[in-house]
Amino acid sequence: MATVVLLAATGLGLGALYFLVAAGLSLIFGLMDVLNFAHGALLSIGAYATWWAASGHLPGAGSGGAGFVLAVCFGTAVGTLAAVVLELALIRPLYGRPREQVLATVGVGLAVPALLSAIWGPDARPFPGPAALSGTFGLLGARIPVNRLVLLGAAAVVLLALRLFLGRTRHGLVVRAGVEDRAMVTALGIDVRRAFTLVFAIGGAAAALGGALGGLYYGSVDPGQGTSLLIFAFVVVVMGGMGSVAGAALAAVGVGLVQQFANYYTTSGLGDLAVVVLLAALLLLRPRGITGRLA
Amino acid sequence: GCSKAGTAGSPSSGGGDAKSGAAAVDVGLVYSRSGPLAAYGKQYIDGFHAGLDYATHGTGKAGGHEIRVTEQDDAGDPAKAVAAAKTLIGKGTKIIAGTTDSGVALQLAPLAAQNHVLYIAGPAATDALTGLNAYTFRSGRQSYQDILTAGSLLGGTGGKKVVVLTQNSAFGQANVAAVKEVLGSGQGATVDSVLAPPSAGDLTPFAQQVKSKKPDLVFVAWAGASAPALWTALDQQGVVTSTKVVTGLAGIASYPLFGAAGSKVSFLAHYFPGAGNNPVEKAMLDGIAKAGGTPDLFSPDGFTAAQMIVHAVEAGGATDPAAMAKALEGWSFQGPKGDEQVRAADHALLQPMFTATLTGTGAAAEPQLVSRLPKEAVNPPMKQMAG
Amino acid sequence: MTPAATPATTPAASTRKAAASPEADADAPPWRRLGRWWPALVLVALVTAPFSSLSLPGLLDGPIGSAGSLQLLALCLVFGALATGYDLLLGHTGLLSFGHALYFAAGSYSTELIAAEAGLPFWPSAVLGVLCGVALAWALGSVALRVSGIAFSMVTLAFAQAGSILVERDPGGVTGGEEGRAVPADKLPASLAGIDHTANLYWIALAYLVLTLAVVRWAVRSPTGRVWEGIRDNETRVEVLGLRPYGFKLVAFVVAGALAAVGGVVHLLLTGGATPQTTTSDFTLSLLVMVVLGGSGSRWGPLLGGVLYTWADHRLGDLAGSDAVSGLPSVLRVPLSQPLFLLGTLFVVTVVALPGGLTRLGRRPRVRA
Amino acid sequence: MAPPVLRLRGVGWSVGGATIVDEVSFDVREGEFLAFIGPNGAGKTSLFNLISGLVPATRGSIALDGADITAEPVPARARRGLGRTFQTSSLWPQVTVAGHVRLAAQAAAGGSYRIWRRAADFREQVADVLERTGLAHRAHARAAELSHGEKRKLELAVLLVGEPRLMLLDEPMAGVSAEEVPALTALIGSLHRDEGRTVLMVEHHMDVLLGLADRLAVMHHGTLLALDTPQAVTADPVVQEAYLGEAL
Amino acid sequence: MSGEPLLAVRDLAVVIGGRHILHGVDLDVAPSGVTALLGRNGAGKTTTVRAVLGLVPRTGSVRLAGEETVRLPTHLLVRRGIGYAPEDRGVFAGLTVAENLRLAERPGAGEPAYDLVHELFPELKARARQPAGTLSGGQQQMVAIGRTLLNGNRLIIADEPTKGLAPRVVTEVARVLERAARAVPVLLVEQNLALVRRLAGHCAVLADGRTVHRGPAADLLADPDATRRLLGVGRRTAVTEEHPMAPPGPDPSSAAQAGKAGA
Ligand SMILES: Nc1ncnc2c1ncn2[C@@H]1O[C@H](COP(=O)(O)OP(=O)(O)OP(=O)(O)O)[C@@H](O)[C@H]1O
Ligand SMILES: Nc1ncnc2c1ncn2[C@@H]1O[C@H](COP(=O)(O)OP(=O)(O)OP(=O)(O)O)[C@@H](O)[C@H]1O
Ligand SMILES: [Mg+2]
Ligand SMILES: [Mg+2]
């Protein structure tokens, strides 16, 4: 029983992490049709910026309490900035050429981890976090790490914020229309570029937040962390139905749980295999993902 | 001008460039200057230069031959390593050393045999390199030596229950196999294993699984970036407090990654600065420090490689790799870790190993030597030399 | 209304002649026509390269005919060919597969396995290995092609990922996990083992390239090739003509997979082993990079991209470690010492600055004229 | 008596709760020219989609030459000699005009997976069709570069070269310049009259239809409101009210 | 033409992918009423309109109410009060009808006139939640026209708005445009000459990317010789024998560009 509880709780935590990573990806993919391979890089930038701030380089920031919150905010801000720069410098000049946009992000995805590893070394760095979050709490006999709760909370907040953004503002609409026919959107008198940049920035912010909290989750940061999370984020995005944020949340939880249970109960830890098989099966049965939104 | 296909640029054999019988010897170093193992590559190369300086007494010459070192980056990619090695061999290099990555080393070794050049593998720990062929040697330790050291920490493993916690990869499986062989059939312990997928994000359940097996000794063999998550999980689930946990001590950068668990774990160590405590080690530490480097886990691997090359040239001559190999077989010497020997039968490098504890946390974490195991205590099983 | 006895001709057709007519070629100056033979000249140059002792400092480490240079050139040719084959899917049929690495790896792993474990001689093993690759492409392709668009990409990614995980897990010790498998020295034909025979390997790589170019060119100009083009642009429209896209896509998939499997065997010969790096989606991604670098959908683009990428991948390491870089101030030196950083940046610059890839470079001025 | 070329019985299509096509039944004789009119959204294009198989009928049956094709996929129906054009041009943007026609000609000649064969040339056929549709001067332009009217003609050319026995034309005249309407009308008329093809056509240009159609079908809210000679249909006050309105 | 033109296009040239599509188009849109832009398929009507809006790279001069706009990005130009119904309708297939209309709203430019749009096209109200991609051709056309009427625009540009509409709806649209044109000038690209005759005050005829005729629409359409020569309609027999449009007509307005012709 305790094992099942532990697996379920940590599976949810893992799902929350996947969702945090996938949310921005899903947003950008769903609205802009850009499968952003640089998402992992943005994640890593967020993680390193948070780590840098939390290990005492930023005045006021630190590894505990308000200092840590400040560090996370700083990391998110840096990641957002990076996303904006990325959009302005690479995505914008390539509007209307979706394949090239994707490829440009592939290039960034290669270059950024290499740069990080050139500056801070290829090794993992311990990630300072508040002591309050490093303990465990008991639940039905299982000892569950506290930071999983933080992840779950953050995931819920991000989900809510993205839904509000999409539901209450015109930007989502503008970007979706812009992907279909940019010229026509401008011909309606709308500055579609601003909306694109904004969406990219929000996606980047979500990625960076995911990176910062991922550091907490793993207890360390390393240059390849973002990229290795990316593949599961893809799985989640696609399973969730091509850019449906709610679908991504659902898929993230599913993937987290399946992976955790399969890892534990199959003899050789076939969790990730189970996940990709699940993805393939789902796509073959329902090519549009769980929520069935347009591919 | 034209030449025979594929031979352009190779030195004409028996050529006249052997001035006064003391032609330079080319040594090619293929190692990771970039890529995931770049940090290890740096340790290796720093150690190598210090070792070369030490073994040639600062002259850069062995047996009158100048040692000319060419460095090539393999970026952890076997294809690049093979291309680099072919370039070197094509240019007439007779001695190749290096590589941190076991996969790369295993591809270079056959190449060395095919082309009759001496190959001295770097920190690659795979046992498969031992006894692979007549031209292949190693300058680092192999997994068996790690495991024998771990066994020594248990103080007699007979009848005890050992659980190996590792990743489900070739590296992990090799460790399990080695533990079964050394501690299981060799010393009568019951060996069980918990294999986590290498890419698993959350290791808490595996920590839980280990705990539920109630072992006397947990041997953790872990590679890669998820180490901090593992140690956090082991600490949180109370594994490190309820049983004896042993693992290998990696480089300086990894000390803080053990977090709170660090002080509760017993370490076996291939090497850490200060562990050797002998004049050769001192020479190595000084040499590296003088060149602006930092001595670390794999410094001795580079240092020893240089020692072996210098000996091979001095005793085996500058031109014939087979003679060089002969000269190395059975050679005993004083290395930075202590008394070392190249086992004649399978080219295993017999060497002392260490056990240690970690004191302090974060940046202040530092290993303390517990014991020094002489090379005889950690003799890897003998292998039949292939081909 | 006029009686419709004569076919109704719109007036424009007869009077207005299109400005850009392709017949313009016919009265091109002689050097233009000679220019059409350049591939043959290049081929001759490539065939004779192993006899050359010309040095290209900076480009190659040592003379062209030296073992190291030939090895690098051969790798370049293999990847040029591989990218060309991959473009059959990407550029000609519009299928974005993230799993092409799988068939390449299948070719090299199964050849190695058959040779080492079943004890067959190398060449029969190679044939069987390629057949394994083809069978795998057939099996997985026929499943993955049931969906299209991004779903297809993701299913291929899933398959490739599963393959990669399996190889890493080393089931039953057959794949060697992350250490890969080296070809036992005695399994290689004597004419291919050892550094002195690098030229033979090089010629094999060249033959593979020629084979790939021929197959791709043939296929693209075949009736099937036309259908691929249609499928790439609008699949439904092809159906309305009475053609079932599925079969045509599967043919493209299997042909590309077969070419990749052959490439895997050549790569196995060149590097002396099968390595798990070739199973990863990163590997497919690098193929994608090569294709785009050179120009997707063009005849020589993927080849050019593959050659350049591979060359850069191998030589940038030297640049990164060169004295010229180590003398730089740290702001420049630190990033420049990372080959992957250079490669990624180079790639981004190409994508942004050279839409349509490198092969578009030559075509640009003509458009402006 | 020979079975009708096309027979629909109680054909219907519903999507998302709405019934778009409802209980449509009619027969088309060999060599007949049947025109469809009806308000926008009446279901004319949807009916064509059902016949050509782009959407599956949810009710009823469709038979071609007496064979039930209700469940057949699109390519199979096309191979039986059923061809169509699209109201919203649906072409291959990167393929040249000649390439379009060539591919269509090849498809009509029977598809093959052989990749080692040079594509057989259909040069004369292609040139002929381009000439007939007035596209010869644009033969090497890619579809993406065509003007709207040119695209309409290319749609027609792709259909013509396949020489299907049963042609479904969805508003072939929409956007064709006034100057060229008579020529195209003559072309379509000759297909029917001289080559004996069976043609179903949707068109809002009444003057075009009146010269061509043997029978006129009126669709309204997914149902077949009337099916009769053009004179009878246009005289129907309901049709005038619902569809024609006052003349301009 | 009465008064200053609202839109004055001079010497408009467009080159796409190395192909000269427009060689010098001159066009005035009268400050009131409908101005028709005519010409056969491929003459360059759509390209002219897109160039005016800045949707294709162009050179020349485009003045809106006296202000030069060639250097203005499209969205800013449009915000000066232009409604555009493109030839391919430009509906966003993945968005619902309501969303399509919502996109045309211009924040800060007054209340959107949904009443007007829904009164004209009740279909659009009923189908508000349907994805526009599944609308029938005619219904999509309604969305496109509806979007131009939503804002109080100063100029409406409609590219073949009646294409694909049922005759009854064509009449209705004609009425809409007529009504709209009383308040807002309309630039109308149209093949339906009956409609042009009914609506247009002025017209311009393009051929091969050049203006070949400008003048009152009624005059042109009343002159069978001119309609045959410029538009190719009239006596059928003449059309096939002699190309009606080459060489460029002796229209005075095109004389200025004569030197620049040719690629
Ligand atoms: N997938 C769908 N979901 C919902 N409604 C649909 C769908 N497809 C078509 N419709 C509706 O079905 C009706 C019939 O459409 P259809 O295209 O057949 O009309 P049509 O008679 O061809 O009209 P037009 O003359 O304007 O082209 C329209 O009201 C359209 O909105
Ligand atoms: N993107 C493009 N690239 C190349 N040529 C183009 C492009 N767009 C249009 N053209 C060409 O420019 C010419 C004018 O096109 P345009 O669409 O303006 O004609 P139009 O007068 O609107 O014709 P229609 O009545 O058929 O709509 C045509 O010959 C067309 O093929
Ligand atoms: Mg229709
Ligand atoms: Mg037009």
Side-chain angles (χ1 to χ4, degrees):
Chain A
M1 180 62 199
T3 309
V4 173
V5 171
L6 181 72
L7 286 174
T10 52
L12 277 178
L14 189 61
L17 178 65
Y18 285 158
F19 175 72
L20 283 173
V21 179
L25 197 65
S26 174
L27 182 79
I28 292 174
F29 182 47
L31 295 180
M32 299 176 65
D33 242 4
V34 176
L35 199 56
N36 181 16
F37 278 83
H39 199 75
L42 295 175
L43 199 84
S44 297
I45 290 176
Y48 267 87
T50 309
W51 163 80
W52 183 84
S55 34
H57 295 282
L58 186 73
S63 64
F68 186 72
V69 173
L70 180 64
V72 170
C73 290
F74 175 77
T76 309
V78 171
T80 311
L81 193 69
V84 170
V85 170
L86 177 65
E87 206 279 337
L88 293 181
L90 296 185
I91 307 294
R92 179 172 286 191
L94 296 173
Y95 280 153
R97 310 215 314 264
R99 194 164 272 176
E100 272 86 352
Q101 285 180 331
V102 171
L103 290 164
T105 64
V106 169
V108 174
L110 286 178
V112 167
L115 187 63
L116 290 175
S117 117
I119 301 174
W120 284 292
D123 291 318
R125 301 271 181 154
F127 192 85
L133 298 183
S134 66
T136 57
F137 64 94
L139 181 70
L140 299 172
R143 290 165 76 174
I144 295 156
V146 176
N147 61 25
R148 305 300 193 268
L149 285 184
V150 179
L151 284 167
L152 280 170
V157 170
V158 167
L159 176 61
L160 204 69
L162 286 183
R163 296 213 62 150
L164 280 180
F165 170 75
L166 288 174
R168 294 288 162 82
T169 68
R170 241 163 75 108
H171 297 290
L173 201 58
V174 168
V175 172
R176 267 201 290 150
V179 169
E180 267 187 45
D181 186 347
R182 293 181 55 75
M184 192 57 218
V185 179
T186 45
L188 290 174
I190 299 167
D191 185 2
V192 77
R193 296 185 301 183
R194 261 208 2 233
F196 271 59
T197 311
L198 181 69
V199 164
F200 214 85
I202 292 177
L209 181 65
L213 295 178
L216 197 62
Y217 181 96
Y218 288 118
S220 64
V221 288
D222 67 83
Q225 207 169 50
T227 319
S228 62
L229 272 172
L230 194 61
I231 211 142
F232 286 106
F234 277 164
V235 171
V236 163
V237 168
V238 172
M239 274 187 163
M242 310 299 165
S244 150
V245 175
L250 206 63
V253 169
V255 168
L257 288 174
V258 164
Q259 201 173 11
Q260 204 71 331
F261 276 90
N263 269 344
Y264 192 83
Y265 285 111
T266 58
T267 45
S268 48
L270 293 178
D272 30 10
L273 208 59
V275 169
V276 294
V277 169
L278 197 69
L279 170 73
L282 181 82
L283 282 178
L284 291 170
L285 296 176
R286 293 192 56 159
R288 289 169 173 204
I290 303 173
T291 49
R293 253 199 55 185
L294 280 187
Chain B
C2 285
S3 53
K4 190 171 158 285
T7 58
S10 29
S12 35
S13 37
D17 52 320
K19 291 182 232 118
S20 65
V25 180
D26 280 312
V27 172
L29 290 185
V30 180
Y31 72 104
S32 289
R33 185 164 50 216
S34 64
L37 300 176
Y40 291 156
K42 173 99 175 71
Q43 299 170 14
Y44 176 82
I45 200 76
D46 287 351
F48 184 87
H49 287 301
L52 193 61
D53 207 42
Y54 169 81
T56 62
H57 308 290
T59 62
K61 285 189 176 163
H65 304 275
E66 186 199 341
I67 308 251
R68 259 199 323 238
V69 178
T70 314
E71 295 174 15
Q72 295 267 9
D73 184 13
D74 67 16
D77 176 1
K80 281 196 193 110
V82 168
K86 285 196 178 174
T87 304
L88 291 167
I89 299 171
K91 286 181 174 172
T93 307
K94 297 284 186 222
I95 304 171
I96 293 197
T99 70
T100 319
D101 186 294
S102 292
V104 176
L106 285 173
Q107 309 254 321
L108 283 188
L111 199 63
Q114 281 169 21
N115 296 296
H116 310 290
V117 298
L118 188 67
Y119 174 50
I120 299 175
T126 176
D127 294 312
L129 269 180
T130 299
L132 194 58
N133 61 52
Y135 290 88
T136 299
F137 291 80
R138 71 188 324 146
S139 64
R141 60 46 164 129
Q142 64 187 85
S143 297
Y144 276 130
Q145 286 160 324
D146 284 350
I147 287 151
L148 285 163
T149 313
S152 81
L153 281 167
L154 202 54
T157 40
K160 300 241 172 106
K161 180 165 184 186
V162 178
V163 168
V164 185
L165 172 58
T166 184
Q167 287 146 314
N168 195 356
S169 61
F171 160 79
Q173 283 158 0
N175 269 286
V176 174
V179 172
K180 284 202 170 126
E181 183 170 341
V182 175
L183 303 185
S185 16
Q187 302 181 6
T190 32
V191 178
D192 198 351
S193 64
V194 172
L195 294 171
S199 57
D202 190 331
L203 298 162
T204 314
F206 300 101
Q208 167 65 29
Q209 205 174 349
V210 169
K211 190 170 184 207
S212 67
K213 290 187 190 282
K214 300 195 181 4
D216 298 305
L217 173 76
V218 180
F219 177 64
V220 182
W222 209 262
S226 52
L230 176 77
W231 292 108
T232 309
L234 286 175
D235 191 33
Q236 284 177 342
Q237 298 301 318
V239 178
V240 285
T241 45
S242 62
T243 58
K244 190 172 180 79
V245 178
V246 177
T247 191
L249 186 65
I252 294 170
S254 75
Y255 299 165
L257 298 181
F258 292 98
S263 54
K264 303 161 199 160
V265 176
S266 308
F267 292 95
L268 64 95
H270 164 49
Y271 177 75
F272 56 86
N277 195 21
N278 62 41
V280 183
E281 185 199 23
K282 181 153 177 4
M284 179 180 86
L285 297 181
D286 291 347
I288 293 175
K290 208 168 74 202
T294 313
D296 206 338
L297 175 66
F298 289 131
S299 307
D301 300 49
F303 192 92
T304 313
Q307 285 182 296
M308 289 168 72
I309 288 169
V310 170
H311 174 76
V313 172
E314 280 172 347
T319 49
D320 181 11
M324 296 182 201
K326 269 273 149 320
L328 281 175
E329 286 177 357
W331 182 49
S332 296
F333 61 102
Q334 176 81 191
K337 293 174 71 177
D339 283 330
E340 308 193 20
Q341 185 184 15
V342 180
R343 191 156 65 189
D346 62 359
H347 300 183
L349 184 64
L350 310 181
Q351 56 194 300
M353 295 290 286
F354 311 97
T355 62
T357 54
L358 212 51
T359 56
T361 53
E366 210 177 310
Q368 301 294 327
L369 187 70
V370 172
S371 71
R372 194 174 279 128
L373 304 175
K375 64 178 194 292
E376 294 76 21
V378 287
N379 248 345
M382 189 86 80
K383 248 172 93 179
Q384 189 68 40
M385 177 69 75
Chain C
M1 189 167 298
T2 43
T6 50
T9 310
T10 36
S14 43
T15 31
R16 238 187 307 172
K17 200 83 208 154
S21 93
E23 295 97 73
D25 250 27
D27 36 50
W31 68 82
R32 270 273 185 81
R33 250 176 294 155
L34 215 150
R36 238 180 275 158
W37 289 99
W38 67 264
L41 297 180
V42 171
L43 183 64
V44 170
L46 284 176
V47 169
T48 51
F51 298 104
S52 163
S53 55
L54 190 71
S55 276
L56 300 173
L59 288 182
L60 291 173
D61 188 6
I64 295 177
S66 67
S69 301
L70 284 180
Q71 171 81 10
L72 177 54
L73 286 175
L75 281 174
C76 288
L77 297 181
V78 167
F79 282 101
L82 196 61
T84 306
Y86 181 63
D87 199 39
L88 197 60
L89 290 182
L90 183 70
H92 294 288
T93 320
L95 292 172
L96 177 57
S97 162
F98 281 129
H100 209 58
L102 202 51
Y103 313 108
F104 181 83
S108 71
Y109 268 97
S110 47
T111 301
E112 204 279 345
L113 265 173
I114 294 167
E117 305 294 331
L120 253 57
F122 187 81
W123 291 117
S125 308
V127 171
L128 287 177
V130 170
L131 287 180
C132 285
V134 173
L136 190 69
W138 193 294
L140 297 187
S142 58
V143 175
L145 285 168
R146 285 179 192 286
V147 290
S148 47
I150 198 78
F152 167 79
S153 303
M154 287 299 145
V155 170
T156 54
L157 177 68
F159 284 150
Q161 198 63 18
S164 181
I165 292 169
L166 277 180
V167 167
E168 287 265 338
R169 290 299 155 77
D170 195 12
V174 291
T175 65
E178 69 270 24
E179 287 166 8
R181 293 184 65 101
V183 189
D186 55 324
K187 278 294 163 200
L188 281 181
S191 59
L192 298 180
I195 204 88
D196 299 339
H197 295 120
T198 310
N200 293 346
L201 294 178
Y202 168 85
W203 280 318
I204 290 177
L206 185 59
Y208 168 56
L209 172 66
V210 172
L211 171 81
T212 304
L213 282 173
V215 169
V216 168
R217 190 156 158 69
W218 237 307
V220 166
R221 302 172 116 215
S222 73
T224 306
R226 272 187 201 152
V227 180
W228 287 340
E229 201 182 17
I231 290 173
R232 179 191 65 196
D233 276 11
N234 184 347
E235 201 171 320
T236 317
R237 197 59 163 99
V238 172
E239 291 187 62
V240 174
L241 293 182
L243 301 172
R244 224 167 116 249
Y246 178 81
F248 290 95
K249 289 195 283 187
L250 188 57
V251 170
F253 199 85
V254 173
V255 170
L259 289 173
V262 178
V265 175
V266 179
H267 192 256
L268 177 74
L269 279 175
L270 272 176
T271 57
T275 56
Q277 275 94 335
T278 58
T279 65
T280 57
S281 50
D282 281 2
F283 188 82
T284 304
L285 228 48
S286 65
L287 282 184
L288 197 64
V289 170
M290 294 175 198
V291 169
V292 172
L293 199 66
S296 176
S298 63
R299 196 192 304 168
W300 306 110
L303 167 59
L304 187 68
V307 168
L308 278 183
Y309 179 98
T310 312
W311 174 84
D313 190 28
H314 279 81
R315 294 293 298 168
L316 284 182
D318 285 358
L319 173 63
S322 69
D323 296 340
V325 169
S326 56
L328 291 172
S330 70
V331 211
L332 286 175
R333 190 197 50 204
V334 168
L336 287 184
S337 62
Q338 287 286 332
L340 262 187
F341 176 79
L342 291 177
L343 205 60
T345 313
L346 202 72
F347 178 59
V348 168
V349 169
T350 317
V351 169
V352 174
L354 287 179
L358 290 173
T359 42
R360 272 290 156 80
L361 261 183
R363 236 172 288 162
R364 268 250 181 104
R366 221 191 297 167
V367 171
R368 283 218 193 97
Chain D
M1 203 179 97
V5 177
L6 182 70
R7 160 168 284 174
L8 272 72
R9 283 293 172 268
V11 170
W13 178 54
S14 305
V15 60
T19 298
I20 312 285
V21 175
D22 199 11
E23 286 293 323
V24 172
S25 307
F26 61 84
D27 289 349
V28 183
R29 280 175 284 104
E30 177 90 48
E32 191 179 11
F33 197 118
L34 178 59
F36 287 83
I37 59 171
N40 296 117
K44 304 178 295 294
T45 300
S46 302
L47 184 63
F48 274 21
N49 287 345
L50 286 168
I51 297 175
S52 58
L54 284 180
V55 297
T58 41
R59 284 179 307 283
S61 71
I62 305 171
L64 196 66
D65 293 323
D68 186 12
I69 57 165
T70 320
E72 262 185 20
V74 182
R77 297 188 199 204
R79 282 197 294 272
R80 287 178 182 272
L82 193 157
R84 70 168 291 178
T85 67
F86 287 84
Q87 179 176 10
T88 312
S89 289
S90 151
L91 298 159
W92 301 292
Q94 300 306 315
V95 178
T96 61
V97 168
H100 274 83
V101 182
R102 217 179 289 131
L103 177 51
Q106 174 192 319
S112 124
Y113 294 139
R114 275 172 292 192
I115 62 159
W116 55 87
R117 241 226 225 142
R118 283 289 299 273
D121 244 315
F122 300 93
R123 190 172 306 184
E124 267 136 56
Q125 235 171 315
V126 171
D128 180 47
V129 165
L130 290 182
E131 195 66 30
R132 281 164 75 187
T133 46
L135 281 171
H137 67 293
R138 301 292 280 149
H140 302 286
R142 293 186 298 167
E145 299 165 358
L146 296 183
S147 83
H148 179 84
E150 290 164 337
K151 283 184 191 154
R152 303 301 307 147
K153 293 179 212 159
L154 182 53
E155 279 275 345
L156 196 61
V158 167
L159 177 74
L160 286 187
V161 80
E163 306 198 331
R165 301 179 39 226
L166 177 58
M167 299 180 166
L168 310 182
L169 305 175
D170 200 349
E171 301 200 24
M173 301 294 178
V176 172
S177 58
E179 176 192 0
E180 283 161 295
V181 167
L184 274 188
T185 309
L187 172 62
I188 294 171
S190 81
L191 294 174
H192 159 58
R193 221 164 307 157
D194 306 331
E195 301 178 25
R197 296 188 197 288
T198 315
V199 181
L200 269 61
M201 172 162 136
V202 175
E203 188 53 71
H204 290 302
H205 275 250
M206 283 307 289
D207 40 345
V208 168
L209 287 183
L210 292 179
L212 289 173
D214 298 329
R215 286 195 294 165
L216 208 52
V218 184
M219 289 204 66
H220 193 62
H221 290 311
T223 59
L224 211 53
L225 200 66
L227 177 58
D228 210 334
T229 60
Q231 290 72 22
V233 168
T234 42
D236 187 337
V238 181
V239 173
Q240 288 196 337
E241 161 61 23
Y243 180 63
L244 297 173
E246 71 200 90
L248 266 174
Chain E
M1 193 169 291
S2 54
E4 270 291 290
L6 175 70
L7 184 76
V9 176
R10 290 290 173 274
D11 201 10
L12 190 66
V14 170
V15 180
I16 301 178
R19 201 174 118 88
H20 288 255
I21 295 175
L22 299 186
H23 304 279
V25 167
D26 291 349
L27 177 69
D28 286 332
V29 176
S32 69
V34 173
T35 305
L37 184 59
L38 308 174
R40 63 195 308 285
N41 291 140
K45 307 179 292 293
T46 300
T47 307
T48 301
V49 167
R50 291 173 58 84
V52 164
L53 285 167
L55 293 171
V56 290
R58 78 286 197 206
T59 57
S61 153
V62 177
R63 301 175 86 83
L64 179 69
E67 183 198 5
E68 181 57 70
T69 64
V70 210
R71 257 167 270 290
L72 220 52
T74 303
H75 68 275
L76 293 183
L77 171 62
V78 168
R79 277 189 213 163
R80 288 186 170 38
I82 297 181
Y84 171 51
E87 166 174 67
D88 56 8
R89 306 183 194 117
V91 300
F92 302 107
L95 272 51
T96 64
V97 171
E99 286 173 330
N100 265 282
L101 291 176
R102 195 145 80 85
L103 270 178
E105 290 174 14
R106 237 168 261 155
E111 270 300 295
Y114 276 108
D115 294 346
L116 172 68
V117 174
H118 286 151
E119 179 204 323
L120 284 171
F121 307 118
E123 280 286 271
L124 298 188
K125 190 165 193 176
R127 298 185 178 275
R129 301 175 64 101
Q130 185 175 334
T134 63
L135 290 177
S136 84
Q139 291 162 342
Q140 293 186 1
Q141 196 65 60
M142 295 173 193
V143 173
I145 300 176
R147 285 193 306 212
T148 66
L149 300 175
L150 209 54
N151 304 296
N153 283 317
R154 295 157 74 188
L155 170 67
I156 290 176
I157 301 179
D159 195 348
E160 305 204 24
T162 63
K163 184 185 59 200
L165 293 185
R168 204 191 130 94
V169 187
V170 172
T171 319
E172 234 160 82
V173 169
R175 216 175 285 136
V176 173
L177 288 175
E178 205 167 26
R179 204 166 98 189
R182 261 179 244 140
V184 190
V186 175
L187 173 61
L188 177 71
V189 179
E190 189 51 78
Q191 299 288 4
N192 183 338
L193 294 182
L195 194 72
V196 173
R197 185 173 288 123
R198 171 166 158 188
L199 295 178
H202 287 267
C203 76
V205 182
L206 299 188
D208 278 341
R210 268 190 205 87
T211 310
V212 291
H213 175 86
R214 285 197 288 171
D219 292 1
L220 173 69
L221 296 174
D223 178 354
D225 225 41
T227 44
R228 204 201 68 226
R229 184 168 49 82
L230 293 169
L231 302 174
V233 289
R235 277 169 291 141
R236 276 272 310 145
T237 43
V239 173
T240 38
E241 281 156 20
E242 148 210 339
H243 194 281
M245 290 167 197
D251 184 74
S253 63
S254 66
Q257 288 85 48
K260 294 178 187 158

